[in-house]
Amino acid sequence: MIDQTDLILNKIIEIENALPERMSDIGLHTGESGKVLFYCYLSHYLKSNAYDSKIEHTIENIFERLDTDTINPTFCRGLSGLVWTMNHLRKTGMLEFDDVFADLHDTLKKSALGLSAAGEFDFLHGADGIIYTLMDNNALDEKSANAWLNSLYDFAIRDSRGCVWETLTDASTGSKSLNLSLSHGISGKIILLSEVLKRFPENELTYELLDGAVNFLLSCRNPAGFRSWFPSVKQTDQPGEISRLAWCYGDLGNAICLWRASESLQRTDLKQLAIELLLNATKRRNPDQEKIIDAAFCHGASGVSHIFRHFYQKTGMPELEQASNYWMQKTLDFSSHKDVAAGYKSFDTRAEIFKKEDSFLEGNIGIAMVMLNHLQPFMSENHWNECFLIH
């Protein structure tokens, strides 16, 4: 009888064998950069050089596309995600090469500050992700940081609860919301501001914005009796709202940001709150109720499993390990589509169909990375998951 370790490893290999030679873009979350990261970690886990040619070919493909394609600067799909990936692989020693991206830092700064001045801060698709890459590369000077912070201050909605930022909800109508999520909203900003405060501990504006953002988030807590502690967005005409269980939106991302803020603000109460929030989330084990209908990292079972495992490693709390194992089993259960390798399809919410998806964020690469981490839990000590703001 095959044990779970062999089953998971077989799934990982099936996913790798079915990856396309050429993905849609160079992105970390959506394309070639995520594929390079996966190949390197799989090679490291197997202690094998069998993937060297694929790594080399994919990197060559990236550089070819840099010369021929129009590349956006964003973290999810574009240049800053690529720069983060290559710097990460250099820091971990998985790839050895000269830093050929240093000349791009000024270009990324201009892009980040231009987007900030226009109020486009989104982590995945705007200025925040670029600022994150610059910090990771030790390329964010305080002058540039202040320019970004001043834009954040200018666009912030400030009141007695703290400060928050509007996020575009529907591009077709221009509607906006007060987004509390990790992927697009205030929780992601809390993590990023915590990183900036770590780099520039005397920067008063960073502290003011971080403290205000934390206070606003805490003010949004749902009334007692709600399954989730926080809504996805804050709507003043509603007393509360159930948010999904996922990386992208909901309580898990809120817990990540509160944990990170507790360290930067030296507030033990926030860490205790994060732990209580995570423990409450361990009780939420109905996939249909939690809107978990596939295995994707972004909004599916693998991302949930990984977040619980990440905090189990930090706390040693058995409830978190048990929750991680539960959602890993659900990740395996979602491998049920007979017409694709490894059995995984992701649900496209716009088209309302399941389709084969290979990307890190919403597809097979992300599922495989979480599975690798499950087999070798301390793989995350290399901090690969920081590309999802998991600290």
Side-chain angles (χ1 to χ4, degrees):
M1 181 177 178
I2 190 168
D3 68 18
Q4 193 180 57
T5 298
D6 289 337
L7 175 62
I8 291 173
L9 186 56
N10 287 342
K11 289 292 181 187
I12 293 168
I13 299 301
E14 285 182 58
I15 287 172
E16 189 283 317
N17 286 335
L19 288 178
E21 182 178 351
R22 185 178 178 89
M23 297 186 71
S24 60
D25 56 52
I26 68 163
L28 167 55
H29 287 160
T30 56
E32 304 286 7
S33 297
K35 189 166 67 170
V36 169
L37 195 74
F38 170 52
Y39 284 150
C40 288
Y41 271 93
L42 182 57
S43 178
H44 182 71
Y45 174 78
L46 295 174
K47 297 179 173 60
S48 167
N49 60 4
Y51 297 99
D52 287 359
S53 61
K54 289 189 174 183
I55 293 169
E56 183 178 352
H57 175 74
T58 307
I59 292 174
E60 288 175 352
N61 184 28
I62 289 171
F63 278 95
E64 176 187 326
R65 296 173 78 159
L66 286 174
D67 289 335
T68 60
D69 296 359
T70 299
I71 307 295
N72 73 54
T74 66
F75 193 83
C76 178
R77 304 183 68 91
L79 191 59
S80 59
L82 166 63
V83 173
W84 186 95
T85 302
M86 294 306 176
N87 188 53
H88 173 78
L89 293 173
R90 286 178 70 245
K91 288 193 298 184
T92 57
M94 292 189 191
L95 289 181
E96 295 183 5
F97 56 91
D98 294 331
D99 185 1
V100 296
F101 296 105
D103 291 342
L104 297 175
H105 292 161
D106 286 342
T107 299
L108 289 175
K109 285 178 190 176
K110 290 177 182 177
S111 295
L113 300 186
L115 289 166
S116 298
E120 298 178 23
F121 298 107
D122 191 285
F123 170 67
L124 294 180
H125 309 299
D128 292 359
I130 306 172
I131 292 292
Y132 190 64
T133 289
L134 290 169
M135 278 195 292
D136 185 70
N137 281 253
N138 293 316
L140 183 68
D141 58 276
E142 193 162 9
K143 180 180 177 181
S144 298
N146 279 327
W148 172 72
L149 290 163
N150 284 323
S151 291
L152 275 178
Y153 184 85
D154 290 341
F155 281 95
I157 298 171
R158 297 183 297 279
D159 59 26
S160 59
R161 297 169 295 177
C163 63
V164 67
W165 293 265
E166 286 188 316
T167 300
L168 187 66
T169 304
D170 187 335
S172 63
T173 64
S175 62
K176 296 182 178 181
S177 64
L178 303 182
N179 191 316
L180 306 185
S181 75
L182 182 69
S183 55
H184 303 293
I186 195 171
S187 291
K189 283 183 175 54
I190 288 170
I191 295 170
L192 196 53
L193 287 164
S194 295
E195 285 295 298
V196 174
L197 189 61
K198 184 172 74 173
R199 302 297 174 93
F200 306 111
E202 304 301 321
N203 192 299
E204 293 183 4
L205 183 54
T206 308
Y207 178 86
E208 179 182 346
L209 291 171
L210 175 57
D211 187 62
V214 169
N215 289 336
F216 185 90
L217 176 63
L218 295 179
S219 77
C220 297
R221 184 168 171 177
N222 283 330
F226 277 73
R227 193 170 70 252
S228 65
W229 279 23
F230 293 96
S232 297
V233 297
K234 179 61 177 175
Q235 301 182 67
T236 56
D237 60 340
Q238 293 185 7
E241 175 202 356
I242 301 296
S243 58
R244 69 190 305 165
L245 195 68
W247 169 79
C248 52
Y249 280 86
D251 284 357
L252 294 181
N254 303 143
I256 293 168
C257 83
L258 290 173
W259 184 286
R260 187 68 190 88
S262 75
E263 297 173 334
S264 58
L265 294 174
Q266 298 182 337
R267 286 183 55 180
T268 56
D269 63 309
L270 295 181
K271 183 168 289 188
Q272 184 58 40
L273 195 63
I275 291 172
E276 293 172 9
L277 183 53
L278 288 163
L279 289 174
N280 182 72
T282 65
K283 303 170 186 175
R284 299 168 62 181
R285 294 194 180 185
N286 184 324
D288 292 334
Q289 195 175 48
E290 302 304 337
K291 301 180 182 179
I292 297 178
I293 57 177
D294 65 20
F297 190 98
C298 179
H299 50 260
S302 69
V304 174
S305 176
H306 180 72
I307 293 169
F308 281 128
R309 185 155 297 275
H310 173 79
F311 282 105
Y312 166 65
Q313 289 174 231
K314 283 182 172 291
T315 66
M317 300 182 74
E319 299 95 331
L320 301 180
E321 182 183 34
Q322 291 160 12
S324 176
N325 290 339
Y326 173 85
W327 289 108
M328 175 51 63
Q329 183 58 55
K330 292 302 177 186
T331 298
L332 293 170
D333 292 345
F334 281 123
S335 174
S336 59
H337 299 274
K338 306 300 183 183
D339 57 335
V340 291
Y344 287 111
K345 288 185 177 180
S346 296
F347 188 70
D348 184 331
T349 54
R350 293 181 181 178
E352 295 189 343
I353 59 171
F354 284 94
K355 65 179 185 180
K356 184 177 183 293
E357 173 61 56
D358 293 302
S359 71
F360 201 169
L361 182 65
E362 295 187 336
N364 287 345
I365 290 174
I367 296 167
M369 283 291 287
V370 171
M371 286 179 167
L372 271 178
N373 199 95
H374 189 83
L375 295 180
Q376 188 179 20
F378 293 98
M379 181 178 105
S380 58
E381 288 185 347
N382 285 330
H383 307 296
W384 66 269
N385 52 14
E386 289 183 6
C387 72
F388 291 107
L389 293 178
I390 298 174
H391 286 257

